[in-house]
Amino acid sequence: MADVDDIDVSPLLALFVDCTEASIDVAKDFLKKTSGNLELAINNYMDTMSGVAGQRSDATSLQQQATGFSLLTWNVDGLDEYNIPERARAVCACIYESQPAIVFLQELVAKNVSIFNRCPGYSLVVPRAEHCPYFCGMMLRQASVKCLSVHTIDFPSSGMYRHLIQASVQLQPSGVDVTLFTSHLESTARYANERKRQLQFVFDQMQHTPSGYVIFGGDLNVRDAEVASVGIPPNFIDVWEASGSPKDSRYTWDRSQNDNIEGKLQPRVKMRFDRVYVSKELRPEGFGFVGKERLPSCGRFPSDHYGITCRFL
């Protein structure tokens, strides 16, 4: 068996730490045990962390009982074929570190869904994707969210495989009922009318849910004028606006700062594509972005979109 000292471990260590946020010593230990096989080392680490996830869950559940719960929504750009494993593991590490109760993901593909499925302490919900080259999903924290039902609704006139995932869940230990929606609405300015039809459909679904709170988030691809045309239902709020419309957390797709697309910046191209809408009764307490740092392993961002994190009381 080759010794870890006999190979160039610097890039491997950097990538292991970047993907797992483990310490250098832990990275060295796992790489040594796998003779420098990075993929196997990370998989072994994630499997090991699954065993300690339950130990963290009790303390975190008590904390969330007192302080509410958090949500993350992120288009993870699985359609970008470059660096998919590294980028997906960086997202997974962010999820494991911040421990949101609910995660919405868009642009899942076969090459990254298996990585998210191994995230310790979480259940990945991918209701149906057999005929879709890419799809949406949810990750629910096992210690704080109980999934009661989930189903997928295809948008009948979509030309881009777009669909809506709806899940009925119960927050633990409070027992509060919440209906979750996530979607990736039709892309590009050319398909604004189809996108507005999809948004209207989701808003209608939100208003006809059973008792409890409602949360809808994802990569909606919408422009402000389109939302104004459809109209936000009166019993719901835009979480970014309700959080004071922070300027530093406005543009989730910002090509003036993020050069994942074509490896170059476009100073004037920035949009608030990703949004979160919730029942008025939910009080947002904190709104921000994740994924704004380049990955040392490849020099790229985890996605061309930034992830939205928000906490509710």
Side-chain angles (χ1 to χ4, degrees):
M1 184 170 96
D3 188 84
V4 72
D5 296 325
D6 296 331
I7 59 176
D8 180 12
V9 297
S10 297
L12 298 178
L13 287 174
L15 183 53
F16 187 102
V17 171
D18 183 59
C19 293
T20 66
E21 297 194 352
S23 68
I24 291 292
D25 289 338
V26 169
K28 286 181 178 178
D29 183 55
F30 277 85
L31 284 168
K32 184 174 183 179
K33 290 177 180 177
T34 60
S35 301
N37 185 321
L38 179 64
E39 184 83 17
L40 181 59
I42 291 177
N43 289 343
N44 288 349
Y45 174 82
M46 299 298 280
D47 290 341
T48 300
M49 293 307 295
S50 296
V52 302
Q55 299 173 19
R56 293 185 58 175
S57 65
D58 293 338
T60 306
S61 292
L62 290 174
Q63 180 185 24
Q64 291 191 341
Q65 182 179 9
T67 60
F69 66 95
S70 58
L71 166 79
L72 167 65
T73 181
W74 204 341
N75 179 325
V76 295
D77 197 17
L79 295 180
D80 178 351
E81 296 183 353
Y82 295 100
N83 314 109
I84 288 179
E86 298 99 317
R87 294 188 295 106
R89 289 192 184 100
V91 173
C92 192
C94 177
I95 292 169
Y96 184 73
E97 178 64 25
S98 58
Q99 294 284 297
I102 300 161
V103 181
F104 295 153
L105 299 174
Q106 302 85 47
E107 286 196 27
L108 291 172
V109 295
K111 289 183 179 180
N112 63 18
V113 72
S114 61
I115 295 173
F116 292 112
N117 199 36
R118 293 197 301 269
C119 190
Y122 283 85
S123 297
L124 177 63
V125 178
V126 184
R128 188 245 46 248
E130 305 85 45
H131 63 282
C132 294
Y134 62 100
F135 44 92
C136 299
M138 298 182 185
M139 293 175 64
L140 305 177
R141 193 168 182 279
Q142 295 164 357
S144 49
V145 182
K146 179 181 179 181
C147 187
L148 304 178
S149 66
V150 59
H151 64 280
T152 304
I153 304 170
D154 291 315
F155 295 126
S157 52
S158 172
M160 303 179 182
Y161 304 98
R162 302 302 164 89
H163 50 269
L164 174 69
I165 297 180
Q166 178 178 341
S168 297
V169 305
Q170 193 175 76
L171 301 182
Q172 303 296 322
S174 64
V176 172
D177 293 321
V178 183
T179 302
L180 306 175
F181 296 92
T182 191
S183 188
H184 183 192
L185 303 188
E186 214 80 356
S187 303
T188 76
R190 178 181 178 182
Y191 295 98
N193 288 335
E194 171 62 21
R195 183 165 50 251
K196 287 191 289 184
R197 281 194 292 270
Q198 295 170 1
L199 183 63
Q200 182 67 70
F201 177 82
V202 181
F203 281 165
D204 290 343
Q205 292 292 112
M206 291 165 63
Q207 295 183 86
H208 293 89
T209 58
S211 59
Y213 299 126
V214 175
I215 300 174
F216 169 44
D219 176 7
L220 310 187
N221 279 307
V222 291
R223 285 67 169 169
D224 290 343
E226 295 169 6
V227 176
S229 174
V230 173
I232 302 173
N235 49 332
F236 293 93
I237 57 173
D238 180 320
V239 175
W240 177 75
E241 293 178 349
S243 300
S245 304
K247 293 182 179 180
D248 61 347
S249 301
R250 180 175 186 175
Y251 300 113
T252 62
W253 192 73
D254 186 355
R255 293 191 61 186
S256 71
Q257 303 293 326
N258 187 315
D259 59 359
N260 270 26
I261 298 178
E262 299 177 351
K264 58 185 179 182
L265 299 175
Q266 297 286 343
R268 297 183 180 180
V269 182
K270 53 181 88 172
M271 304 292 291
R272 190 164 75 96
F273 282 154
D274 306 80
R275 305 191 182 202
V276 180
Y277 298 98
V278 302
S279 304
K280 275 188 174 179
E281 294 80 6
L282 280 174
R283 289 189 296 143
E285 181 68 24
F287 184 99
F289 285 170
V290 292
K292 299 186 73 172
E293 301 295 330
R294 294 182 185 274
L295 306 181
S297 59
C298 60
R300 305 179 75 221
F301 296 91
S303 172
D304 62 331
H305 289 246
Y306 299 136
I308 292 175
T309 62
C310 41
R311 170 164 285 278
F312 303 97
L313 297 179

